[in-house]
Amino acid sequence: MIDVLKGLLILGGGAFVLIAAIGIVRLPDLLTRMHASTKAGTLGSLLILVALAFDIGTVSGTSKVLATVFFLLLTAPIAAHMIGRAYARTSVKDGKPAGK
């Protein structure tokens, strides 16, 4: 039963990572691409990490996976915000750079 759960988590995570990759290729501008990559990519990574925690099954392995999950949840939104902010400050609108 646990193998079925691990398989479903890996397939779900892989599907979300695939959706993120397709979103990066198909979406029109940086902000929507960034949204697809951070939301779907983070969720896909988290699902795969949860499957890894079930597979390892030890306390030390699970604690490392939890530390990785915490780091990912902490850094992905901040990185996306900073990329979006840099884009907003440097993007060209009406022939003039933003903020000028």
Side-chain angles (χ1 to χ4, degrees), residues 6 10 13 15 18 26-27 31 34 37 43 45 72 78-79 86 92:
K6 289 188 297 190
I10 290 172
L18 178 65
R26 300 283 298 167
L27 292 173
L31 294 177
M34 183 183 59
S37 67
L43 181 60
S45 300
L72 190 62
I78 295 170
V92 176

Side-chain angles (χ1 to χ4, degrees), residues 16-29:
F16 275 108
V17 171
L18 178 65
I19 290 168
I22 292 170
I24 290 171
V25 172
R26 300 283 298 167
L27 292 173
D29 63 339

Side-chain angles (χ1 to χ4, degrees), residues 8-99:
L8 290 174
L9 286 170
I10 290 172
L11 284 175
F16 275 108
V17 171
L18 178 65
I19 290 168
I22 292 170
I24 290 171
V25 172
R26 300 283 298 167
L27 292 173
D29 63 339
L30 177 83
L31 294 177
T32 55
R33 282 186 230 134
M34 183 183 59
H35 180 76
S37 67
T38 56
K39 303 296 181 201
T42 302
L43 181 60
S45 300
L46 292 178
L47 289 174
I48 292 171
L49 284 169
V50 169
L52 177 65
F54 281 132
D55 188 48
I56 293 172
T58 64
V59 174
S60 69
T62 304
S63 65
K64 289 176 186 175
V65 168
L66 287 176
T68 306
V69 165
F70 177 72
F71 181 76
L72 190 62
L73 288 175
L74 186 67
T75 58
I78 295 170
H81 175 76
M82 298 314 283
I83 292 169
R85 186 174 176 179
Y87 173 76
R89 288 184 176 205
T90 60
S91 65
V92 176
K93 295 177 184 165
D94 298 329
K96 293 183 262 182

